[in-house]
Amino acid sequence: MAMMKIYSHKLRALLYTRPFHSVSSRSFSSSSFENVGFIGLGNMGSRMADNLLKAGYKLTVHDVNCNAMKKYSDMRVSTKQTPFGVAEASDVVITMLPSSSHGGNILRPRLLIDSSTIDPQTSRRLSASISNCSLKEKRENWESPVMLDAPVSGGVVAAEAGSLTFMVGGSEDAYLAAKSLLLSMGKNAIFCGGPGNGSVAKLCNNLAMAVSMIGVSEALALGQSLGISADVLTKIFNSSSARCWSSDSYNPVPGVMQGVPSSRNYSGGFASKLMAKDLNLAAASAEEVAQKCPMTFLAKNIYREICKDAHETEDFSCVFRHYYSGKNEHNW
């Protein structure tokens, strides 16, 4: 709760100076968002920012990492030493932060698009808090600022390719106004309903992804122990009822599939510590609404154990190696 209050306060601080166009008018054009602020230039955020530059947006950026800032400064992109500075130069600010505790002294734009993964309860409280703010200047029918929670799916590869899927919660009119901006960074933008529903969709997606990866890893490790190769068993999965993303697109066994984290010692993917964080958020959300979610808690404990064993930076598919003691394919 204390962390939510800190995050809420800092997001509100960002939103007090710049005017907002009326989202109730669906003629709100993408040209209103020519000046885009971006806060959070990590593995995901930097690639999203790069795609905004390619799309022709005028970008102003901030990150706590000086090297990340230098990269953009060298590209003649405007950099600011504080999130507040970004907000002052921007019509809309996008945040891509590891968690709510990384909020910094954020923002004062017309629209805040938070692509971080936080719990839906916090998203809803922030949205309500922000909507109660007053803008220093008003234009058209806008009386208050608006927040969209817009977490993404697809990982670093999709961020670089501009093929992310955005799951968007908040005002539908704000979503429609921001859609072209989102599609400069992704191939899909799906409206999920009211405030917090984007965060709900993200947590549920990652929960299903974690459970799927655990199930596939368990089955492949068992198959190896019983004498069948993971390559053969994967072919069976992918031509029958066990087929899923974890088997046919992101296989966890080193040597079965090229171009995935398992083929490069589980580097360069979605870190296990981030999966553990998302599962913690899902578990907390389940408890808050008294929903039975035994698989959530089991998956959370498995990834917590992996992180405690010093594998937190490895891709979450490393559950195959570090929890199930699965083996590489012999021909790898």
Side-chain angles (χ1 to χ4, degrees):
M1 180 66 70
M3 184 174 292
M4 187 281 295
K5 288 180 179 177
I6 292 170
Y7 195 43
S8 177
H9 171 73
K10 292 181 175 181
L11 289 180
R12 287 175 60 142
L14 171 82
L15 285 161
Y16 262 114
T17 45
R18 298 196 61 91
F20 213 85
H21 287 239
S22 173
V23 183
S24 63
S25 170
R26 299 201 179 194
S27 63
F28 195 31
S29 69
S30 60
S31 63
S32 300
F33 297 144
E34 287 178 354
N35 298 310
V36 178
F38 205 104
I39 298 171
L41 301 169
N43 288 335
M44 293 290 292
S46 62
R47 289 162 172 83
M48 294 165 68
D50 289 347
N51 284 321
L52 287 171
L53 288 172
K54 291 175 186 176
Y57 288 98
K58 182 181 178 182
L59 208 60
T60 302
V61 302
H62 169 77
D63 195 273
V64 295
N65 186 317
C66 294
N67 291 331
M69 292 274 277
K70 185 177 185 304
K71 169 192 168 184
Y72 286 91
S73 179
D74 290 347
M75 294 165 58
R76 298 185 178 180
V77 173
S78 175
T79 60
K80 300 292 182 180
Q81 294 303 309
T82 65
F84 178 83
V86 172
E88 289 292 277
S90 305
D91 302 310
V92 55
V93 172
I94 301 168
T95 56
M96 187 60 170
L97 305 168
S99 67
S100 59
S101 62
H102 288 72
N105 295 313
I106 323 183
L107 319 168
R108 297 182 182 178
R110 302 175 185 178
L111 173 66
L112 170 64
I113 300 174
D114 186 15
S115 289
S116 315
T117 299
I118 62 175
D119 66 278
Q121 294 85 355
T122 296
S123 286
R124 286 166 179 157
R125 289 167 188 148
L126 290 174
S127 180
S129 179
I130 288 166
S131 68
N132 288 327
C133 293
S134 297
L135 291 163
K136 184 176 180 180
E137 299 177 32
K138 295 181 175 62
R139 293 183 184 176
E140 301 174 3
N141 297 322
W142 278 96
E143 296 295 329
S144 62
V146 172
M147 170 181 164
L148 293 174
D149 50 290
V152 300
S153 178
V156 173
V157 173
E160 186 164 3
S163 59
L164 292 168
T165 291
F166 285 85
M167 296 159 271
V168 187
S171 157
E172 186 172 10
D173 289 339
Y175 157 74
L176 292 171
K179 190 172 182 180
S180 61
L181 177 65
L182 298 175
L183 292 179
S184 296
M185 301 174 284
K187 66 178 180 180
N188 295 306
I190 301 171
F191 182 63
C192 301
N197 278 17
S199 296
V200 171
K202 176 60 185 282
L203 291 186
C204 291
N205 180 78
N206 280 19
L207 165 60
M209 183 170 68
V211 171
S212 169
M213 181 58 73
I214 289 170
V216 167
S217 295
E218 185 171 304
L220 291 171
L222 176 61
Q224 286 182 332
S225 297
L226 295 174
I228 188 170
S229 76
D231 185 57
V232 170
L233 199 51
T234 294
K235 289 176 182 175
I236 292 168
F237 287 0
N238 292 344
S239 59
S240 60
S241 56
R243 183 177 185 176
C244 63
W245 181 82
S246 296
S247 68
D248 73 358
S249 299
Y250 212 82
N251 198 279
V253 182
V256 168
M257 184 176 295
Q258 296 302 309
V260 295
S262 63
S263 70
R264 48 182 184 267
N265 203 29
Y266 299 104
S267 67
F270 184 61
S272 292
K273 64 180 179 182
L274 296 180
M275 180 58 82
K277 182 209 76 172
D278 290 355
L279 290 167
N280 282 333
L281 292 175
S285 295
E287 286 185 325
E288 186 160 327
V289 296
Q291 174 65 44
K292 291 181 179 178
C293 290
M295 299 304 296
T296 302
F297 289 89
L298 177 59
K300 179 189 74 169
N301 290 335
I302 287 174
Y303 278 100
R304 180 182 294 172
E305 182 174 330
I306 288 172
C307 291
K308 284 182 178 179
D309 290 340
H311 304 296
E312 66 273 8
T313 62
E314 295 178 33
D315 181 75
F316 80 106
S317 61
C318 77
V319 66
F320 171 79
R321 172 180 288 171
H322 300 308
Y323 188 81
Y324 291 107
S325 300
K327 303 175 181 64
N328 296 357
E329 277 299 277
H330 295 305
N331 62 350
W332 189 67

